[in-house]
Amino acid sequence: MEQQKRPYWLAAAVALWGIVWVWQGLRLPLTDRYAYIGPGLPVVGIGAGLVILALILALQIRGGVPFEEQSAEDVSADHHVSWYGLAFAAAGAAVPMLTMRHLGFVITCMLAFWLITRAFRSPRPALDLVIGAVVSLGAWYLFRLLGVQLGGLLPIAGI
Amino acid sequence: MDALAALFDGFAIALQPINLMWALIGTFMGTAVGVLPGIGPALTIALLLPVTANVAPTSAFIMFAGIFYGAMYGGSTTSILLNTPGESGSMMTALEGNKMARKGRGAAALATAAIGSFVAGTIATLGLTFLAPPIAELAFIFTPPDYFALMLLAFLSVSVVLGASRVRGFIALFIGLALGLMGIDSQSGVQRLTFGLPALLDGVEMTVVLVSLFAIGETLYVASRFAGQPPNLNPLAGGAWMTRADWRRSWKPWLRGTAIGFPIGALPAGGSEIPTFLSYAAERRLTAHPEEFGHGAIEGVAGPEAANNASAAGVLVPLLTLGLPTSATAAILLAAFQNYGLQPGPLLFINSGDLVWALIASLYVGNLMLLILNLPLVGLWVRLLFIPRPYLYAGILIFALVGIWGVANSWMDLAMMFGVGLMGYVMRVYDFPIAPVLIGLILGPMAEVQLRRALAIGQGDPMALVSTPLSAVLVTICVLILVVPPVLSWRRARRVAAGST
């Protein structure tokens, strides 16, 4: 996202998180006969901390505190934002939620691999799909040999 | 000397061929991930956790130690040749090292970094060898209030030291603490923040959060701001190795860097930014060639690089003796110990002495391996930088999926990967530090246990938390860390205001 001058939504999100925690914590016993602190009290405490920090952040934002993007390798010097790249990368990270259980690890990884190569504007989509398939199958086979449980090849077909 | 005898036993284990192989694999992978962008030591160890379920703990930790040290060697290579420090500890190295490389002195810069890392790593490992056992002994008399105060200090220093803004550091910490509360409460058996979802009963997996924050967050961030051009590599040509003058100018900064890095790394307020920065500042002041600073002074590479490695060994002191992680990599190492049912702390030296000493011995071995791997093979490592970025980041995502799906085959973890990955993206855009989330997540539940224990022992009196001398001192330091900087800046602001009227 392009940086806004006054990203109040950041403070709102943190505050909302805190409020949910306080609300959930208040439904649990706050004190305990032996340990004095019940299971709910830390939840309320951390939630309240988030709300207070959100308020301070909101004040800072109102005062015009600068937000500088973190530097990273491969990032363009002017931090120009490509929504196209972000959308495809996000799709690549989201696709496992949809496909992993039915289509299995290999097909999921192939799709995710392909979506990430699109995000980085790789010039040859068809080749990327083949490379994705080979890498996914290789990773699945190798890590299964090493004893990592990754599920079947195509769960929906019972393989 | 007990420590010496134990260390020799450790060497007997670490020098077994199978463990030498693990050390080699570890140092190799560590150097590779140090060179590669988008992937660091913490992420690599997190991704390897499912694989090591079938490996003996000693071998796994020998490999992890290799990754831990190797990544720092690799990180210095990229900061010198590319001016892209892969991790915060290499930032100072990039300042002078890259200038040296541009002047065709890249080989000398790499050499002083590698040899300096070796010297510092070896001395700091010696420090660890002789310092860890007494501290572990000392930790036996630590009471719950002491532990709680120590963790409080670790929380505070991690959030205040890392990142540009204290408020954002604390928000990151509290997010980690908030995530750490999810699941069944170990003391009362009550479900907390599970929102009726059985998948959340076991709480939030450290690996999932770490992989999502680092791998997914970084991929999203780089994809949205991709430079789209190959890295601008400084040629290794004109490969004049270290001259006699270079050696003469390097050895003192190596030792000074070690002396600065190890103690600061060993404090619960550890980390690598402060020691590397201090070392750079010290070398700049002490140098006989001040005119070269900013234009490629070899002291400015030798000192910070040594400090960086020494502080990494220092971080292992609180981790092994107190179970207190002070960096993201230390946090995942702690999670790895817990995976094997081991709890770092004073008892680790007694119950799993073999493992600890083999680990420490492997640090010596790994350092030597890294020196051999890095000096002649640097040209090979540099080639890793030319992996096409689409495939590099897509490959990172596949390994992230192995790491996350392999933990429990849980759909909730995949959803968490997406959600926490987006959070990692936002944190990068708005400059929130990431390590406090991980420290909060792993230390939070431990701090809660100690807090409740301390109160139970003190019969509910909050003063019980400062009832021992150590806890009182530590809590006082915490209060000072919190209070002093804002008061100072407030007074400065008032003085400025008074001066202007």
Side-chain angles (χ1 to χ4, degrees):
Chain A
M1 63 207 68
E2 202 84 58
Q3 273 202 3
Q4 298 160 296
K5 274 255 154 53
R6 299 248 190 284
Y8 282 112
W9 67 271
L10 274 177
V14 174
L16 183 69
W17 191 330
I19 289 166
V20 171
W21 253 236
V22 171
W23 167 55
Q24 288 288 317
L26 287 176
R27 299 170 59 184
L28 298 167
L30 293 181
T31 52
D32 178 276
R33 272 184 64 191
Y34 301 105
Y36 297 90
I37 291 184
L41 197 59
V43 183
V44 175
I46 300 297
L50 279 171
V51 173
I52 293 168
L53 286 165
L55 290 177
I56 301 176
L57 184 67
L59 284 178
Q60 286 193 340
I61 292 171
R62 203 182 63 169
V65 71
F67 289 89
E68 273 196 26
E69 297 191 356
Q70 287 176 12
S71 57
E73 292 176 62
D74 293 333
V75 165
S76 60
D78 60 352
H79 285 256
H80 173 75
V81 180
S82 151
W83 293 101
Y84 171 93
L86 182 61
F88 269 101
V95 84
M97 287 191 288
L98 304 174
T99 60
M100 187 65 95
R101 274 192 296 195
H102 299 299
L103 298 182
F105 183 83
V106 176
I107 292 180
T108 300
C109 280
M110 199 176 88
L111 290 173
F113 187 98
W114 188 76
L115 285 166
I116 299 289
T117 56
R118 298 276 58 70
F120 282 88
R121 294 169 194 273
S122 170
R124 285 178 292 273
L127 177 68
D128 295 342
L129 201 60
V130 175
I131 295 179
V134 171
V135 173
S136 306
L137 200 64
W140 178 76
Y141 182 74
L142 198 84
F143 281 100
R144 251 166 62 115
L145 276 188
L146 290 168
V148 183
Q149 301 287 337
L150 291 174
L153 189 62
L154 191 61
I156 201 167
I159 315 174
Chain B
M1 280 303 249
D2 272 359
L4 266 185
L7 182 65
F8 278 120
D9 289 346
F11 269 113
I13 299 172
L15 291 176
Q16 285 167 6
I18 182 83
N19 286 333
L20 279 177
M21 184 196 78
W22 285 111
L24 188 67
I25 294 176
T27 48
F28 209 81
M29 277 199 293
T31 313
V33 303
V35 172
L36 285 174
I39 185 163
L43 181 59
T44 312
I45 295 173
L47 294 178
L48 286 172
L49 279 184
V51 179
T52 49
N54 297 342
V55 177
T58 310
S59 307
F61 280 103
I62 285 177
M63 178 171 71
F64 293 160
I67 295 173
F68 187 52
Y69 270 17
M72 266 166 307
Y73 278 77
S76 65
T77 307
T78 50
S79 42
I80 289 170
L81 294 182
L82 271 177
N83 199 15
T84 50
E87 23 137 36
S88 47
S90 316
M91 238 138 57
M92 292 296 148
T93 313
L95 280 183
E96 299 298 323
N98 189 247
K99 298 271 165 46
M100 283 183 73
R102 282 193 197 164
K103 288 206 248 155
R105 305 265 298 120
L110 287 169
T112 193
I115 301 170
S117 296
F118 171 74
V119 170
T122 305
I123 297 176
T125 309
L126 270 171
L128 174 68
T129 307
F130 292 101
L131 208 62
I135 292 181
E137 292 278 316
L138 207 65
F140 268 119
I141 54 169
F142 278 20
T143 57
D146 297 326
Y147 271 114
F148 182 68
L150 258 176
M151 289 171 186
L152 217 53
L153 183 62
F155 285 149
L156 275 179
S157 49
V158 168
S159 343
V160 172
V161 168
L162 302 169
S165 149
R166 291 151 58 89
V167 173
R168 278 171 258 170
F170 277 120
I171 289 176
L173 173 71
F174 271 71
I175 286 174
L177 293 171
L179 290 173
L181 287 169
M182 296 171 86
I184 293 181
D185 171 33
S186 60
Q187 309 252 305
S188 61
V190 175
Q191 289 184 28
R192 294 197 293 195
L193 301 157
T194 53
F195 304 98
L197 298 167
L200 288 177
L201 286 179
D202 284 339
V204 178
E205 194 75 42
M206 166 86 178
T207 318
V208 175
V209 174
L210 190 145
V211 172
S212 311
L213 277 180
F214 279 110
I216 309 298
E218 181 89 357
T219 303
L220 293 176
Y221 186 59
V222 177
S224 69
R225 287 153 176 76
F226 185 44
Q229 59 211 14
N232 213 345
L233 195 67
N234 288 298
L236 263 175
W241 218 65
M242 286 176 71
T243 60
R244 189 179 288 265
D246 288 336
W247 281 95
R248 213 169 32 239
R249 287 174 60 180
S250 287
W251 71 269
K252 276 189 201 154
W254 291 338
L255 296 182
R256 278 195 291 262
T258 311
I260 294 170
F262 181 71
I264 297 181
L267 289 175
S272 57
E273 288 95 347
I274 294 179
T276 47
F277 179 77
L278 283 180
S279 163
Y280 182 79
E283 295 313 327
R284 190 172 190 152
R285 187 161 310 157
L286 293 170
T287 181
H289 309 269
E291 73 287 353
E292 281 188 25
F293 264 78
H295 307 284
I298 196 163
E299 293 94 338
V301 181
E305 215 25 60
N308 188 17
N309 255 45
S311 78
V315 165
L316 291 176
V317 175
L319 177 69
L320 291 177
T321 58
L322 305 172
L324 208 64
T326 51
S327 71
T329 315
I332 193 68
L333 280 175
L334 179 60
F337 274 109
Q338 290 171 345
N339 258 19
Y340 281 108
L342 302 165
Q343 183 59 47
L347 286 171
L348 188 71
F349 278 81
I350 293 171
N351 296 341
S352 320
D354 291 358
L355 188 151
V356 179
W357 287 107
L359 173 66
I360 293 177
S362 78
L363 292 176
Y364 291 96
V365 178
N367 246 315
L368 192 64
M369 275 183 185
L370 280 165
L371 189 65
I372 299 168
L373 270 181
N374 272 273
L375 275 184
L377 292 183
V378 82
L380 182 80
W381 296 118
V382 166
R383 238 163 259 183
L384 278 179
L385 290 167
F386 293 101
I387 294 181
R389 291 306 182 255
Y391 301 140
L392 175 66
Y393 285 96
I396 289 176
L397 180 65
I398 289 193
F399 284 105
L401 279 168
V402 172
I404 287 177
W405 185 244
V407 172
N409 289 22
S410 148
W411 182 84
M412 185 57 74
D413 287 344
L414 295 177
M416 189 89 73
M417 173 182 106
F418 183 66
V420 176
L422 280 185
M423 186 172 91
Y425 170 76
V426 172
M427 289 177 81
R428 282 173 170 78
V429 174
Y430 290 96
D431 199 14
F432 285 76
I434 289 177
V437 179
L438 304 168
I439 304 283
L441 176 62
I442 196 153
L443 271 189
M446 293 160 68
E448 189 189 355
V449 168
Q450 301 292 355
L451 172 65
R452 283 158 132 185
R453 252 184 227 161
L455 286 178
I457 295 166
Q459 314 231 317
D461 181 6
M463 288 312 281
L465 295 178
V466 286
S467 57
T468 65
L470 181 66
S471 61
V473 170
L474 290 175
V475 170
T476 312
I477 296 174
C478 290
V479 172
L480 289 179
I481 292 179
L482 266 185
V483 173
V484 169
V487 168
L488 283 182
S489 67
W490 178 73
R491 278 186 53 179
R492 202 175 306 134
R494 228 176 50 150
R495 204 172 302 145
V496 170
S500 63
T501 51

